[in-house]
Amino acid sequence: MSTKNFIVAIELGSTKIRGIAGKKNPDGTISVLALSEEDATQCIRKGVVYNIDKTTQAISNIIQRLRAQLKTGIKQVFVGIGGQSIHSHHNLLFCDMPGTEGGIVSQQLIVEMMDENRATEYSDKEVLDVHVQEYRADNLMQSDPVGIPCTRLEGNFLNILQNKRHYQNLLKCFANADVKIADIYLAPIALADVVLTPTEKRSGCMLVDLGADTTTVVVYYKNIVRHVAVIPLGGNSITKDLCALQLEEQDAEKVKTKYASAFTPENEVDGDEQYNLSPTISVPAVKVIDLVEARVDEIITNAWNQVPGEFAEKLLGGIVLTGGGAQLKNITNAFRKITSIEQIRIAKDSNEAFTPQPIVPTSFTQNTLVGILVKGDQNCWADAATPRANTDMFETPVAPAAEERKTSEQTAPLSGFQTFDNAATNIEIKQKEDPKKEEIKEETPITEEDILIRQYREQQEKRKEQNKDSLGNKISRWIQALTNPEE
């Protein structure tokens, strides 16, 4: 019997595109109902889509298999994105209060400052997420300055950015696959929410996701995201280095999996030892040790250099490792050698409770997918027997003119980009009624991607407006005020 209440999450990783469908139970546990994955090595590099057609096909295949396992339709999905083009940027805004003696900071002023930050233009970047750091009311640092009198207010924001073209390519893939996006989450933050403890976030910690093609770093302090960065180095870099020993890539991967160690004490190195893969294939142990440690040291050094200087001495929560690279032997010793931080743990599983157990295989690499599932807050069920309405991927109704053209031409149901083409045509017709608008159109042509992103933003703003005064949010803010009075 099919279920009518579940959440679907899709993660686009460096080597795999994964899909999961799960149900949140009243007791706080999660029941995973379906899992599917596709190889991404031919369409995604370092977490970034480079082949739209193959990525579209992979997404379509995953959705079809999830539907088959669920035995019902899927209305929408939650998407997690990361990759090499993700990075954070600090933005500092100022506001001088009116009058010689200043004034009291209002909630409206905070909203205006946040809107101004969100509207910050970056030449080739798209703002994916914003994390408020602190406000400075004159010389007083505050997480919530509302009600405080001051003459000058400073707002410090951390904007998480991604290359615009990469972001647009991602949206194209889901539009071409005719899959509606319910929301897009930043994969590193979704991962942090399910592997870090509240104490680690509050005390200060560094989360390192050791992936196949990339290494992602997230720094927390006082429950606030302080820095996000993606390094274009990962486990596959070690494999390619081992190919220098005249090994095929698959054999190099076997050497890494069976023999590689991130750290080997000098007194344990045997210059005559050989690592044997078969009766005819063997490599000197000392050469494997040198190659692996050199690359691991480079990855760790680059990751450690991402920690802002003002927080390097404040990471009382230590370092948390996850991802496939965290399975490398003695990886914690290698991190201690370079960072001098003793408190290091490996997060093999997420903090979420699943029923029944075990439910998610190879959880080292599934934690991000679970994080996206947990963040999902809308039912993704759709009655498979009910035809889908003529809508684009964000459920925007097709314009009447477009519907008439579709009927007259007797075409198949509109895909996402057919819809955007119609919308652009309608905009062009309206602009021709006004010569001034026609001139503007020629200077700044409206692209399919512009319409796609604008519709997504409008949907997000509508959701925020509907949810900001909900009872659940009021209770959450009240509980946070009781549990964190110092903030």
Side-chain angles (χ1 to χ4, degrees):
M1 180 177 180
S2 62
T3 181
K4 297 182 179 181
N5 185 13
F6 57 84
I7 294 170
V8 177
I10 303 290
E11 178 202 359
L12 288 85
S14 296
T15 59
K16 298 286 185 181
I17 300 176
R18 297 183 174 93
I20 188 172
K23 180 180 179 181
K24 297 179 181 179
N25 302 314
D27 61 357
T29 60
I30 296 175
S31 297
V32 176
L33 307 174
L35 283 167
S36 182
E37 67 176 33
E38 284 276 316
D39 179 74
T41 56
Q42 300 301 313
C43 55
I44 295 180
R45 290 176 183 163
K46 299 187 184 300
V48 174
V49 173
Y50 76 91
N51 188 310
I52 293 176
D53 290 343
K54 290 184 178 180
T55 304
T56 299
Q57 186 61 53
I59 293 171
S60 298
N61 292 343
I62 288 174
I63 294 298
Q64 290 175 7
R65 286 197 289 267
L66 291 179
R67 285 172 178 160
Q69 294 177 52
L70 293 168
K71 298 180 181 179
T72 188
I74 295 175
K75 177 183 179 182
Q76 58 191 358
V77 301
F78 292 88
V79 180
I81 60 175
Q84 183 178 353
S85 68
I86 298 290
H87 71 279
S88 57
H89 179 267
H90 284 274
N91 190 28
L92 190 62
L93 300 178
F94 305 90
C95 179
D96 291 321
M97 306 297 287
T100 56
E101 297 183 359
I104 298 177
V105 179
S106 66
Q107 183 63 45
Q108 180 61 31
L109 177 60
I110 296 300
V111 171
E112 291 175 357
M113 187 171 284
M114 294 177 68
D115 289 343
E116 181 182 353
N117 169 73
R118 189 78 193 195
T120 302
E121 292 289 339
Y122 297 92
S123 59
D124 61 343
K125 305 292 187 218
E126 182 76 21
V127 179
L128 297 180
D129 202 2
V130 176
H131 294 268
V132 180
Q133 303 298 280
E134 291 101 355
Y135 295 92
R136 183 190 295 273
D138 289 337
N139 293 322
L140 184 64
M141 298 297 293
Q142 290 286 322
S143 60
D144 183 7
V146 175
I148 296 177
C150 64
T151 59
R152 182 181 178 86
L153 181 67
E154 298 179 7
N156 187 8
F157 302 91
L158 185 73
N159 294 336
I160 313 297
L161 312 175
Q162 185 184 35
N163 182 284
K164 282 184 179 179
R165 181 171 59 84
H166 296 160
Y167 182 69
Q168 292 165 0
N169 287 346
L170 176 80
L171 297 182
K172 282 183 181 179
C173 294
F174 281 89
N176 292 347
D178 196 25
V179 177
K180 180 196 169 192
I181 297 177
D183 207 344
I184 294 178
Y185 296 126
L186 194 64
I189 304 303
L191 171 64
D193 287 344
V194 296
V195 299
L196 298 180
T197 67
T199 300
E200 287 168 338
K201 288 184 177 181
R202 183 174 58 253
S203 301
C205 71
M206 171 188 180
L207 173 63
V208 183
D209 181 15
L210 299 161
D213 286 336
T214 60
T215 297
T216 304
V217 177
V218 183
V219 178
Y220 274 86
Y221 182 66
K222 289 187 176 180
N223 288 323
I224 298 173
V225 178
R226 303 295 181 169
H227 188 70
V228 177
V230 180
I231 302 165
L233 296 171
N236 287 344
S237 302
I238 300 174
T239 303
K240 292 176 181 178
D241 290 343
L242 292 173
C243 289
L245 300 178
Q246 298 183 351
L247 294 172
E248 296 291 336
E249 188 167 337
Q250 60 268 26
D251 291 329
E253 181 67 23
K254 291 178 182 178
V255 169
K256 183 184 73 173
T257 304
K258 187 174 181 179
Y259 297 109
S261 174
F263 175 78
T264 303
E266 291 186 9
N267 60 356
E268 295 183 10
V269 178
D270 184 352
D272 298 325
E273 185 179 5
Q274 296 283 320
Y275 292 151
N276 300 313
L277 289 179
S278 70
T280 59
I281 301 177
S282 64
V283 291
V286 65
K287 290 186 178 181
V288 173
I289 292 171
D290 289 343
L291 287 171
V292 172
E293 287 194 6
R295 181 62 75 179
V296 169
D297 286 355
E298 181 187 14
I299 293 173
I300 297 174
T301 300
N302 277 278
W304 180 240
N305 287 340
Q306 293 299 321
V307 180
E310 63 267 33
F311 301 114
E313 301 295 328
K314 299 178 180 179
L315 304 182
L316 301 182
I319 298 175
V320 179
L321 308 178
T322 190
Q327 301 176 76
L328 194 62
K329 183 181 177 181
N330 291 325
I331 188 67
T332 56
N333 292 335
F335 267 87
R336 290 189 181 99
K337 179 185 71 173
I338 292 176
T339 66
S340 299
I341 291 182
E342 290 297 321
Q343 187 171 336
I344 300 176
R345 75 175 179 91
I346 297 176
K348 178 180 179 181
D349 300 306
S350 73
N351 299 329
E352 301 302 319
F354 294 92
T355 178
Q357 289 278 10
I359 197 65
V360 184
T362 60
S363 52
F364 266 114
T365 57
Q366 300 282 8
N367 285 334
T368 301
L369 185 63
V370 171
I372 300 165
L373 173 67
V374 172
K375 290 181 74 70
D377 58 0
Q378 298 178 47
N379 188 4
C380 296
W381 172 78
D383 187 351
T386 303
R388 187 173 174 183
N390 291 322
T391 58
D392 59 33
M393 67 186 291
F394 298 117
E395 297 292 354
T396 304
V398 178
E403 179 65 24
E404 292 174 5
R405 183 174 67 179
K406 166 182 168 299
T407 303
S408 63
E409 295 178 358
Q410 296 182 348
T411 61
L414 291 175
S415 69
F417 273 83
Q418 288 173 314
T419 302
F420 295 132
D421 179 60
N422 295 337
T425 302
N426 294 334
I427 292 172
E428 183 177 355
I429 292 172
K430 292 180 181 179
Q431 287 175 335
K432 288 182 179 179
E433 298 173 358
D434 188 338
K436 294 182 180 180
K437 291 184 179 180
E438 178 65 22
E439 293 175 5
I440 295 175
K441 173 182 173 296
E442 293 178 357
E443 295 176 359
T444 55
I446 298 175
T447 65
E448 295 172 348
E449 290 82 359
D450 292 333
I451 298 171
L452 185 66
I453 294 173
R454 182 180 64 192
Q455 290 172 340
Y456 177 69
R457 286 175 173 168
E458 288 175 353
Q459 186 208 41
Q460 295 301 92
E461 291 299 323
K462 183 177 179 181
R463 287 184 56 204
K464 290 179 181 178
E465 186 67 25
Q466 293 173 343
N467 294 334
K468 68 179 183 179
D469 292 324
S470 66
L471 179 60
N473 281 342
K474 289 179 180 178
I475 294 174
S476 297
R477 290 195 293 270
W478 176 67
I479 294 174
Q480 183 177 9
L482 291 178
T483 56
N484 299 287
E486 73 279 4
E487 297 180 9

